[in-house]
Amino acid sequence: MRLRFIGTTSENGNCPTLYEDLDTGDIVVQGYTVTDPADIAQLRDVLDSESFVRVPRELLTRFTHRDEEQTACPT
């Protein structure tokens, strides 16, 4: 996997952050792990190999458009 930093809304290098897998075009999300069993119980079709992270909506909406020339800067 070769990752390209897309952007973050965090400060001082803290989570959350988005990356693009340059080989597949998939998005990799770095965020705070969801661990509460009651929260996880609400998720659907969970595979053993899956995990869940929490990210602010602003992070996803700020970097929605795929743009190779985009400058991704922390706020």
Side-chain angles (χ1 to χ4, degrees):
M1 182 175 3
R2 298 177 307 125
L3 297 179
R4 178 181 72 88
F5 171 81
I6 294 175
T8 185
T9 54
S10 64
E11 297 177 18
N12 303 318
N14 296 325
C15 296
T17 304
L18 296 177
Y19 303 89
E20 177 185 9
D21 181 332
L22 295 174
D23 297 325
T24 66
D26 291 343
I27 302 301
V28 176
V29 179
Q30 173 185 342
Y32 298 105
T33 304
V34 177
T35 57
D36 186 304
D39 293 339
I40 293 171
Q42 298 177 66
L43 301 170
R44 303 160 108 187
D45 304 320
V46 177
L47 300 176
D48 289 338
S49 62
E50 292 179 322
S51 61
F52 311 95
V53 296
R54 184 180 308 273
V55 297
R57 181 175 300 274
E58 178 190 0
L59 175 62
L60 300 176
T61 58
R62 181 182 296 184
F63 299 103
T64 298
H65 302 287
R66 183 176 180 177
D67 181 355
E68 300 302 324
E69 300 299 319
Q70 176 178 352
T71 303
C73 299
T75 58

